[in-house]
Amino acid sequence: TIENEYKMNYVKNPFTDMQEISAEYTQGVINAYGLGIVKGNTSGAFNPHNGLTRAEAAAVIYNLYSIIK
């Protein structure tokens, strides 16, 4: 189930730049990471001030679809 997958992947601070994410979005980012919807970049950063590339947006949509299908 989604709940079990979330509990298995839960990490309090999954990205090296968590302090740059606005407080009102922090829990949502953590939840999205826990569900495997977002993964960050190869250096472990989320880069909240950068826009999404088409490839990143496609990956988010694909990961979300994989969960809800």
Side-chain angles (χ1 to χ4, degrees), residues 27-58:
Q27 191 60 52
V29 170
I30 291 170
N31 292 345
Y33 176 83
L35 290 168
I37 298 169
V38 297
K39 299 184 184 202
N41 65 21
T42 56
S43 67
F46 183 72
N47 295 321
H49 302 294
N50 295 356
L52 285 178
T53 65
R54 287 182 186 146
E56 291 167 335

Side-chain angles (χ1 to χ4, degrees), residues 5-24:
E5 186 173 343
Y6 172 75
K7 289 176 185 171
M8 290 182 352
N9 294 323
Y10 177 78
V11 176
K12 186 174 181 182
N13 292 308
F15 303 111
T16 57
D17 56 353
M18 287 296 292
Q19 73 282 358
E20 295 181 33
I21 300 170
S22 298
E24 62 266 26

Side-chain angles (χ1 to χ4, degrees), residues 53-66:
T53 65
R54 287 182 186 146
E56 291 167 335
V60 168
I61 293 166
Y62 176 81
N63 294 337
L64 180 58
Y65 177 74
S66 296

